[in-house]
Amino acid sequence: MENVLIIDDELSMCSLLEKFLSKEGFHVEATISGKQSVNLIKEKFYKVILCDYRLTDISAEDLFEKIKSISPDSIVIFITGYANLNIAVNLIKEGAYHYLAKPLNPDELLEIIHKSLAESKKGSPKASVVREQA
């Protein structure tokens, strides 16, 4: 199964997603540091990267630029507790696959990951529709 990297400054979110996705057969690593994630991405290819939009040590935009330059074939899915449609649209225009609002629905997240992987096997994954929660 594919390698997945979780980047979220909430340790509990990292642990929860890591356990859930590992049970679904993914090889999962997690970090609470955006800067550390850059080093991990340089060392290993992650097919899917789940990235919190608001990190304490680096802006999401800066981190996304670094991810795209280091690992352009990685599928990046942003997750956030502060959903903003304008930010979501901009990230998807820049190449993010999806933007999900917390609290995450595990089934929806898994469906999005599987869909992105299936599309990447056919060619370049296409951004999916953004969902914003109130």
Side-chain angles (χ1 to χ4, degrees):
M1 204 35 116
E2 303 288 354
N3 292 326
V4 175
L5 178 62
I6 300 161
I7 310 164
D8 196 307
D9 56 3
E10 293 179 37
L11 187 57
S12 60
M13 180 60 71
C14 286
S15 296
L16 181 70
L17 289 173
E18 189 171 12
K19 287 176 187 173
F20 172 70
L21 293 173
S22 292
K23 287 181 182 178
E24 294 296 328
F26 293 97
H27 302 284
V28 184
E29 292 183 52
T31 180
I32 58 171
S33 165
K35 291 179 180 174
Q36 182 185 9
S37 72
V38 172
N39 293 328
L40 291 171
I41 294 165
K42 286 178 181 176
E43 295 172 9
K44 184 177 184 178
F45 176 70
Y46 297 93
K47 186 65 179 178
V48 176
I49 299 174
L50 299 176
C51 184
D52 188 12
Y53 182 75
R54 290 199 177 177
L55 297 170
T56 56
D57 64 341
I58 189 170
S59 77
E61 289 83 2
D62 288 345
L63 179 56
F64 190 38
E65 284 299 317
K66 291 177 192 262
I67 292 169
K68 289 190 309 182
S69 68
I70 298 166
S71 187
D73 292 331
S74 291
I75 299 163
V76 180
I77 299 169
F78 280 95
I79 54 177
T80 186
Y82 308 94
N84 179 303
L85 192 56
N86 290 332
I87 292 171
V89 169
N90 288 336
L91 287 169
I92 289 173
K93 282 181 181 178
E94 293 297 318
Y97 182 79
H98 202 88
Y99 183 94
L100 280 172
K102 294 177 185 176
L104 298 176
N105 175 320
D107 293 330
E108 181 182 18
L109 175 62
L110 193 58
E111 180 182 332
I112 289 166
I113 291 171
H114 284 301
K115 182 179 175 188
S116 71
L117 291 171
E119 289 176 7
S120 73
K121 288 179 183 173
K122 295 178 189 174
S124 180
K126 305 285 187 275
S128 56
V129 176
V130 175
R131 174 185 60 88
E132 183 175 11
Q133 290 183 337

